[in-house]
Amino acid sequence: MSAQTRESQTRRLAAPDIAARKGGQPIVCLTAYTAPMAEILDEACDVLLVGDSVGMVLHGLPNTVGVTMEMMILHAQAVMRGSRKAMVVVDMPFGSYEGSPEQAYANAARMMKETGAQGVKVESGPTVPETIAFLTRRGIPVMGHIGLRPQAVLADGAFKAKGRTPEERERVIAEALQTAQAGAFSMVVEGVAESLAREVTAAAPIPTIGIGASAACDGQVLVVDDMLGLFDWTPRFVRRYADLRSDIARAALAYADDVRARRFPAAAETYFAKD
Ligand code: KIV
């Protein structure tokens, strides 16, 4: 490879770059599931998260429990093909890492090898700090996920904000410290009040990336389809930066009108045989 070719290649951000942002410039993260969307988001984002929210956002599942390794690998490969600069982190799906550290290592190593992503994300739980330590000691960069854990929706009964009682607050703070101590390079903090996000961010030596967790965090993540306005309902913590659902519906109706009135295709959109 020539020096010029090497220079023209953009180095992707990696776990140490994100870890070094603790208390510094806020980390910008969005979810991405497809190559074209990853290509559009790459410029703006430090981290593209191939979230298991893909199950709900693109596959119509009621929650993330049904998401499989194969789904995550396919979407992560697409996001890697579409992006050049952002760090790509892939969610380990429910059931792929909770069994034992060895199970987690086998699946996380497969995820890294088959996708080329720069890290994986695991949701917190009693056995998870041990697993994070097992993975990070073996060279797998891990992002933690504390507070509201979507994969625990069936155990919790609903998607519920966390830290509403003193016991729950203590548990979230303990999860944050254990996640950092185990070697994670950053962690998502989901669905907690501002005061708890502030306390966790001050206590943890690694960046916190908030979703529904206030501006007190070291960075922010949103589900891209939420912020683009692709759903008719968005949670309170989401800011809609576009209204693509209305734009798409309007475009589809305009197309349907044109087809039905034989206005589409017009001559400019038609191939004619040359005589
Ligand atoms: O799956 C996902 O999109 C996530 C974000 C909500 C952080 O985990």
Side-chain angles (χ1 to χ4, degrees), residues 29 31 33 49-54 57 64 72 91 121 123 143 145 150 188-190 209-211 221-223:
C29 179
T31 64
Y33 317 112
L49 173 65
V50 188
D52 60 354
S53 52
V54 68
V57 173
T64 57
M72 294 310 299
D91 253 334
K121 175 163 82 60
E123 292 186 10
M143 178 183 279
H145 185 148
V188 166
V189 181
E190 180 165 0
I209 303 177
I211 175 161
V221 56
L222 282 177
V223 169

Side-chain angles (χ1 to χ4, degrees), residues 34-46:
T34 65
M37 187 62 87
E39 194 179 336
I40 297 167
L41 303 179
D42 189 51
E43 169 79 19
C45 291
D46 302 309

Side-chain angles (χ1 to χ4, degrees), residues 3 22 48 57 107 115 127 130 141 154 177 185 188 192 213 216 226 240:
K22 176 73 191 173
L48 293 176
V57 173
N107 281 323
T115 67
T127 63
E130 183 193 347
L154 299 179
L177 295 177
F185 70 88
V188 166
V192 303
D226 282 343
R240 290 170 81 131

Side-chain angles (χ1 to χ4, degrees), residues 17-265:
D17 303 306
I18 302 304
R21 300 271 286 274
K22 176 73 191 173
Q25 195 189 38
I27 296 158
V28 178
C29 179
L30 283 171
T31 64
Y33 317 112
T34 65
M37 187 62 87
E39 194 179 336
I40 297 167
L41 303 179
D42 189 51
E43 169 79 19
C45 291
D46 302 309
V47 179
L48 293 176
L49 173 65
V50 188
D52 60 354
S53 52
V54 68
M56 300 169 76
V57 173
L58 292 194
H59 295 273
L61 293 175
N63 54 52
T64 57
V65 173
V67 174
T68 63
M69 280 288 292
E70 284 65 32
M71 286 162 78
M72 294 310 299
I73 288 170
L74 210 60
H75 287 286
Q77 287 170 337
V79 168
M80 282 297 294
R81 279 184 218 113
S83 59
R84 292 169 61 238
K85 170 195 87 49
M87 176 180 193
V88 174
V89 175
V90 190
D91 253 334
M92 295 301 294
F94 177 71
S96 71
Y97 63 94
E98 305 91 331
S100 66
E102 288 78 9
Q103 178 216 21
Y105 179 75
N107 281 323
R110 177 181 170 207
M111 189 70 84
M112 306 283 288
K113 275 173 189 279
E114 293 187 21
T115 67
Q118 287 75 54
V120 297
K121 175 163 82 60
V122 295
E123 292 186 10
S124 209
T127 63
V128 172
E130 183 193 347
T131 293
I132 295 176
F134 195 88
L135 297 182
T136 53
R137 271 195 254 115
R138 285 161 182 77
I140 297 184
V142 178
M143 178 183 279
H145 185 148
I146 67 162
L148 190 163
R149 296 175 294 130
Q151 291 177 7
V153 64
L154 299 179
D156 287 352
F159 294 113
K160 284 189 196 139
K162 291 287 178 231
R164 290 167 187 256
T165 62
E167 297 75 39
E168 229 175 50
R169 272 183 90 92
E170 287 312 309
R171 191 160 60 243
V172 171
I173 293 165
E175 278 175 357
L177 295 177
Q178 288 163 0
T179 299
Q181 213 164 26
F185 70 88
S186 67
M187 67 184 124
V188 166
V189 181
E190 180 165 0
V192 303
E194 193 264 358
S195 60
L196 181 52
R198 191 171 291 287
E199 199 172 335
V200 160
T201 300
I206 57 172
T208 56
I209 303 177
I211 175 161
S214 84
C217 296
D218 296 300
Q220 298 294 325
V221 56
L222 282 177
V223 169
V224 69
D225 295 56
D226 282 343
M227 63 83 89
L228 292 177
L230 276 158
F231 294 112
D232 49 10
W233 178 83
T234 44
R236 175 195 152 129
F237 62 82
V238 173
R239 185 176 297 174
R240 290 170 81 131
Y241 287 85
D243 187 13
L244 295 195
R245 189 181 177 89
S246 303
D247 290 348
I248 292 169
R250 216 176 297 115
L253 285 174
Y255 168 72
D257 281 352
D258 283 350
V259 170
R260 289 184 184 120
R262 299 194 178 279
R263 284 191 299 265
F264 176 83

